[in-house]
Amino acid sequence: MSSPFTIIGNSPVPPPSAHPRPSWLRVKFFGGPKYQELKRTMRTLDLHTVCESARCPNMGECWEHGTATFMILGNICTRACGFCAVPSGKPLGPPEEDEPDRVAEAVERMGLRYAVVTSVNRDDQPDGGSVIFARTITRIRERVPGCRVEVLIPDFRGHWPSLDNVLNAKPDVLNHNMETVPRLYRQVRKGAVYERSLELLKRAGEAAPELSTKTGMMLGLGETREETLAAMEDIVAQGTHILTLGQYMQPTAEHLPIERYLHPDEFAEFKQLGEKMGFKHVEAGPLVRSSYHAFEQEEAARA
């Protein structure tokens, strides 16, 4: 059975699903000059991208357009979430102090005017890696003045001074993904707490009113329509500006199965209802991921 992902490099083929893959999840393969150039830049500077580590289905398209989401703090996550393909375990050492400089150099080489930076969870570090986040924002701005920076951060285990470290560096967009509805948290987001993630979004918005706050959820994990709408209401009540909704895709046989594929019309309905709830922008569709068309999402929210 063919894969629901674009096959890139040596990425393993995801397992067959119990449900037939619908036609709207077919992804075109990209591997042109821009893709190859970006790949060389990442390898030369010894950088990771969540595009590769999480086996994003949009990787080929985004890389061909010269955009990528940098993943800092290494490539080993201290949590083992049921949906995520990023390797988990004990990191081999502390965060690399020069990583922010390497990310900034990559942003300059790529000529980016909008950079997205995320990370693995680093629960082994007292600050969760927040100082490296802050330094990365600062280095990008120093090297590429005018570049807008979006960060997709972990929950820092509710250590709010770590959140302040990131906010003090003044990112343009602060994203923290809720991922799923409360009932599914134990199996989907191990080590995370639904209420804690809501509080992070609220604290970020209150501490920096000029900041765009953002979150994302995966659908197709077994949540009901009513649960999804209730979670959306919870999220918008925190003052969150941008919401992304996409189809969950099982990366390997060891990960959570897909319970169902949502039709594009269902995503369109969630977008309409979300914007009625008060979100400034909702990006919803089967292939939507939190960083997909991130610049356009932020522009739409500011309009």
Side-chain angles (χ1 to χ4, degrees), residues 76-79 87-93 122 124:
I76 303 295
C77 186
T78 53
R79 301 185 193 177
S88 62
K90 183 178 180 180
L92 299 177
R122 288 300 300 260
D124 60 311

Side-chain angles (χ1 to χ4, degrees), residues 28 30-38 58-68 110-112 114 292-293 296:
K28 183 180 178 181
F30 292 82
K34 197 73 175 180
Y35 174 96
Q36 298 299 335
E37 178 188 350
L38 196 154
N58 303 312
M59 175 177 162
E61 177 188 352
C62 292
W63 281 35
E64 190 59 35
H65 287 88
T67 62
M110 294 163 63
L112 299 185
Y114 194 94
Y292 187 53
H293 295 168
E296 291 88 343

Side-chain angles (χ1 to χ4, degrees), residues 216-278:
M217 293 175 61
M218 302 170 294
L219 304 182
L221 282 159
E223 73 290 331
T224 67
R225 179 177 183 276
E226 291 71 24
E227 286 177 319
T228 301
L229 291 173
M232 290 167 61
E233 292 279 10
D234 287 343
I235 294 165
V236 78
Q238 312 312 310
T240 309
H241 303 112
I242 303 170
L243 173 68
T244 62
L245 299 171
Q247 172 71 51
Y248 168 64
M249 304 269 237
Q250 185 184 17
T252 74
E254 285 71 44
H255 290 81
L256 293 170
I258 298 169
E259 294 297 328
R260 80 179 184 99
Y261 291 111
L262 279 73
H263 190 274
D265 289 348
E266 294 180 81
F267 283 103
E269 182 192 20
F270 281 129
K271 173 180 172 64
Q272 182 182 45
L273 292 173
E275 291 177 350
K276 283 184 179 179
M277 288 178 189

Side-chain angles (χ1 to χ4, degrees), residues 92-203:
L92 299 177
E96 298 173 349
E97 294 296 324
D98 67 338
E99 190 173 44
D101 296 290
R102 287 184 277 122
V103 172
E105 182 176 347
V107 169
E108 183 180 43
R109 285 192 192 185
M110 294 163 63
L112 299 185
R113 289 294 173 264
Y114 194 94
V116 184
V117 180
T118 188
S119 77
V120 293
N121 282 283
R122 288 300 300 260
D123 295 331
D124 60 311
Q125 298 295 305
D127 74 333
S130 61
V131 168
I132 298 295
F133 257 112
R135 195 179 302 157
T136 302
I137 297 166
T138 300
R139 293 291 185 271
I140 291 172
R141 295 256 175 75
E142 290 173 349
R143 192 142 188 166
V144 189
C147 181
R148 301 180 70 79
V149 182
E150 174 176 325
V151 291
L152 169 53
I153 63 171
D155 62 14
F156 300 126
R157 284 189 166 179
H159 183 251
W160 303 128
S162 293
L163 173 61
D164 292 338
N165 287 340
V166 178
L167 294 175
N168 290 339
K170 299 189 180 302
D172 296 286
V173 178
L174 186 133
N175 185 2
H176 172 69
N177 282 339
M178 297 296 298
E179 305 293 10
T180 191
V181 300
R183 178 176 59 84
L184 299 177
Y185 252 56
R186 275 180 172 269
Q187 61 190 104
V188 175
R189 288 193 73 195
K190 295 177 182 178
V193 180
Y194 181 77
E195 292 77 12
R196 185 164 71 197
S197 287
L198 286 176
E199 184 176 356
L200 185 152
L201 292 168
K202 183 177 182 180
R203 282 176 175 267

